[in-house]
Amino acid sequence: MTPTIRIQREDFDPAAEIAAMSAGRTDIGAVVSFSGLCRDEAGTLSALELEHYPGMAEAEIARVAAEAAARWPLMGLLAIHRHGLVRPGEQIVLVLAASAHRRAAFEAADFMMDYLKTRAPFWKREHRADGTLGGWVEARSEDDDAAQRWTI
Amino acid sequence: MTPTIRIQREDFDPAAEIAAMSAGRTDIGAVVSFSGLCRDEAGTLSALELEHYPGMAEAEIARVAAEAAARWPLMGLLAIHRHGLVRPGEQIVLVLAASAHRRAAFEAADFMMDYLKTRAPFWKREHRADGTLGGWVEARSEDDDAAQRWTI
Amino acid sequence: MSDTPQAQTDTRSVKLVYFAWVRERVGRPEETLAIPASLATVADLARWLKTRGEGYEAAFADETVVRAALDHVHAKPQAPLGDAREIAFFPPMTGG
Amino acid sequence: MSDTPQAQTDTRSVKLVYFAWVRERVGRPEETLAIPASLATVADLARWLKTRGEGYEAAFADETVVRAALDHVHAKPQAPLGDAREIAFFPPMTGG
């Protein structure tokens, strides 16, 4: 099982990715998908700008994916993370995990998201609806707490 | 937020359901989907036959969904469960949960699946690849254990 | 009711429905029966059904396995039957 | 190295890259610098950078906040620089 990692400016199609992961296979019992979307923060946000560290972003997500693949019996694992400007309602991140049984698929997807949040080198900055440039989004300590649920 | 519950013989399209749940909304930050698929059990299975208790199936899933909606701040919740004959590689069940933040979406989808497994009145019987009718699938004690992770 | 002498002859009509291997062993998917009004709980009813023949005996052989629902709501063995109109018996669920 | 007298004059060339508000405060996305070979750890390098001007001082004001990576791998403040060719400094990540 080779994880698929993509860092891209373009939007993506979760449906196509889900279909591709299970196409022609009859040993997969569970597919969990997580889609992270840009919220408009009650109308105050016009876009999120996602800066990333090219090279390290791919490498770090690949390391987290390899860790997930070592911990759970996965039949498919995919992570797509966008960079650049993302508008409210648009997708930012997609994680898919497939396994014979649901517990592995749920836990692997949950684990991937916790580690993407705290280890993948991406930084969000707000562009406000009033045309001004907002600040950099601050890391949330609850994200660190979430990642620490997993012993790695 | 009114949960959507569907019990049907026909297949379903997770992509369309995911799209419908977030269409035109800019307050959703996370969508988790779970797709349960029919495995071929290393080629020994030709189909699963799903018997259900009409009326109670809808009512019970609606109760579990209402419990999930009371526990997590959800912006969308959907469960589709098929009955009748399902072939290897085909979908059996779909759960979608949407929220502002990922933790609620993950937990609600996970909770829904644990309770669908142990409380929704569906019974699986195997149709074997050699043409014989297999036995009724036995309930797994680990499914009960999974459901008991949640205090309700 | 069960402590009055006439109670044992009182009956009431309920619809019983069966699923999966309970249905197969009983030999029918549903039936409407006049059950003794003295049956207080789900377990009382299951024990009474067991006396109705081999199929029922096989279905309810292990009383701790068969599950029940009263009017579409899960019910434990000790649950009172109340005025339930439709009573279901079935194996542990295996959906999802 | 740091205990030999000549070490302080030895230098080696590294590529430094900065992201998000660290990049903004430093005033550039990257630079190649000759750094003293005596700098043993990530924290040593951060403290040395802080002496290079106001922008650096602002970027590294709170040493416990800025994160680092050595050749694309996360590194703690006490991590030895080793022979890393590309050293990155950035705020806590907020992707996902």
Side-chain angles (χ1 to χ4, degrees):
Chain A
M1 198 284 300
T2 307
T4 302
I5 315 285
R6 295 209 288 275
I7 312 292
Q8 61 189 46
R9 187 175 288 276
E10 306 73 43
D11 196 10
F12 47 80
D13 179 2
E17 304 299 341
I18 293 173
M21 185 170 285
S22 54
R25 294 194 66 153
T26 51
D27 55 349
I28 293 177
V31 179
V32 169
S33 86
F34 176 90
S35 304
L37 307 167
C38 178
R39 284 176 281 116
D40 73 352
E41 306 298 350
T44 61
L45 191 85
S46 79
L48 280 178
E49 181 185 342
L50 280 137
E51 180 168 333
H52 78 301
Y53 183 174
M56 178 170 171
E58 292 83 350
E60 185 60 27
I61 297 178
R63 278 190 285 272
V64 174
E67 177 67 32
R71 289 170 67 110
W72 290 280
L74 301 178
M75 294 164 166
L77 185 60
L78 169 143
I80 304 178
H81 202 304
R82 288 177 67 191
H83 61 87
L85 275 188
V86 178
R87 305 282 172 188
E90 289 185 8
Q91 308 177 103
I92 299 170
V93 63
L94 175 70
V95 164
L96 285 189
S99 184
H101 299 288
R102 78 183 186 290
R103 180 83 4 244
F106 261 118
E107 290 187 357
D110 198 1
F111 171 91
M112 285 292 290
M113 280 309 304
D114 280 351
Y115 278 85
L116 277 179
K117 284 262 176 193
T118 54
R119 297 186 62 91
F122 288 83
W123 300 272
K124 291 195 187 98
R125 156 173 254 175
E126 296 184 338
H127 290 232
R128 299 218 178 97
D130 63 10
T132 62
L133 190 58
W136 294 93
V137 172
E138 283 207 41
R140 300 171 358 141
S141 62
E142 64 203 76
D143 286 334
D144 283 328
D145 295 346
Q148 279 164 15
R149 295 182 304 147
W150 314 95
T151 338
I152 67 169
Chain B
M1 198 283 299
T2 306
T4 301
I5 316 285
R6 294 208 290 274
I7 312 293
Q8 61 189 45
R9 189 173 287 277
E10 306 73 41
D11 196 11
F12 46 79
D13 179 2
E17 304 300 342
I18 293 173
M21 185 169 285
S22 54
R25 295 193 66 154
T26 51
D27 55 349
I28 292 176
V31 179
V32 169
S33 86
F34 176 89
S35 304
L37 307 167
C38 177
R39 283 174 281 117
D40 72 353
E41 306 298 349
T44 62
L45 191 85
S46 79
L48 280 178
E49 181 185 343
L50 280 136
E51 179 169 334
H52 78 302
Y53 184 176
M56 179 171 169
E58 293 82 350
E60 186 60 29
I61 297 178
R63 279 190 285 272
V64 174
E67 178 67 32
R71 290 170 67 110
W72 289 281
L74 301 178
M75 292 165 168
L77 185 60
L78 169 143
I80 303 178
H81 203 305
R82 287 177 69 189
H83 60 88
L85 276 189
V86 177
R87 304 281 172 190
E90 288 185 9
Q91 308 177 101
I92 299 169
V93 62
L94 175 70
V95 163
L96 286 188
S99 184
H101 300 289
R102 79 184 184 289
R103 180 78 11 240
F106 262 119
E107 291 187 356
D110 198 0
F111 171 92
M112 285 291 291
M113 280 309 303
D114 280 350
Y115 278 86
L116 278 179
K117 285 260 175 194
T118 54
R119 297 184 62 91
F122 288 83
W123 300 272
K124 292 194 187 100
R125 154 171 256 175
E126 296 184 340
H127 289 233
R128 299 218 178 98
D130 63 12
T132 61
L133 191 57
W136 294 94
V137 173
E138 284 207 42
R140 300 168 1 138
S141 63
E142 63 203 76
D143 286 333
D144 282 328
D145 295 346
Q148 278 165 16
R149 296 182 304 147
W150 313 96
T151 339
I152 66 169
Chain C
M1 286 190 235
S2 56
D3 54 0
T4 65
Q6 93 223 48
Q8 295 195 357
T9 57
D10 281 356
T11 61
R12 69 184 187 94
S13 172
V14 295
K15 182 180 176 190
L16 293 165
V17 294
Y18 310 107
F19 295 94
W21 55 253
V22 174
R23 170 179 55 70
E24 291 180 331
R25 293 181 191 176
V26 167
R28 66 200 67 178
E30 62 178 74
E31 60 190 332
T32 298
L33 286 182
I35 65 168
S38 59
L39 300 176
T41 66
V42 167
D44 291 344
L45 174 57
R47 273 190 292 269
W48 180 79
L49 285 168
K50 240 171 122 169
T51 66
R52 289 178 51 84
E54 270 183 33
Y56 293 92
E57 209 171 327
F60 293 93
D62 186 347
E63 288 176 23
T64 64
V65 169
V66 176
R67 309 292 177 95
L70 301 176
D71 291 334
H72 293 173
V73 178
H74 287 295
K76 296 197 184 289
Q78 65 272 27
L81 293 175
D83 54 359
R85 307 289 295 265
E86 180 172 308
I87 303 175
F89 290 101
F90 42 76
M93 286 69 75
T94 54
Chain D
M1 288 191 235
S2 56
D3 55 0
T4 64
Q6 94 223 47
Q8 297 196 355
T9 56
D10 280 357
T11 61
R12 69 183 188 96
S13 173
V14 295
K15 182 179 175 189
L16 293 164
V17 294
Y18 310 107
F19 295 95
W21 56 252
V22 173
R23 170 179 55 71
E24 291 180 331
R25 292 179 191 176
V26 166
R28 68 200 68 179
E30 61 177 75
E31 60 190 332
T32 297
L33 286 182
I35 65 168
S38 60
L39 300 175
T41 67
V42 167
D44 291 344
L45 174 57
R47 272 189 293 269
W48 180 80
L49 284 168
K50 238 171 123 170
T51 66
R52 288 179 50 83
E54 272 182 32
Y56 293 91
E57 207 171 328
F60 293 92
D62 185 347
E63 288 176 23
T64 64
V65 168
V66 176
R67 310 291 178 95
L70 301 176
D71 291 332
H72 292 174
V73 178
H74 287 295
K76 295 195 183 290
Q78 64 272 27
L81 293 176
D83 55 359
R85 307 290 296 264
E86 180 171 308
I87 302 174
F89 290 100
F90 43 75
M93 285 69 75
T94 55

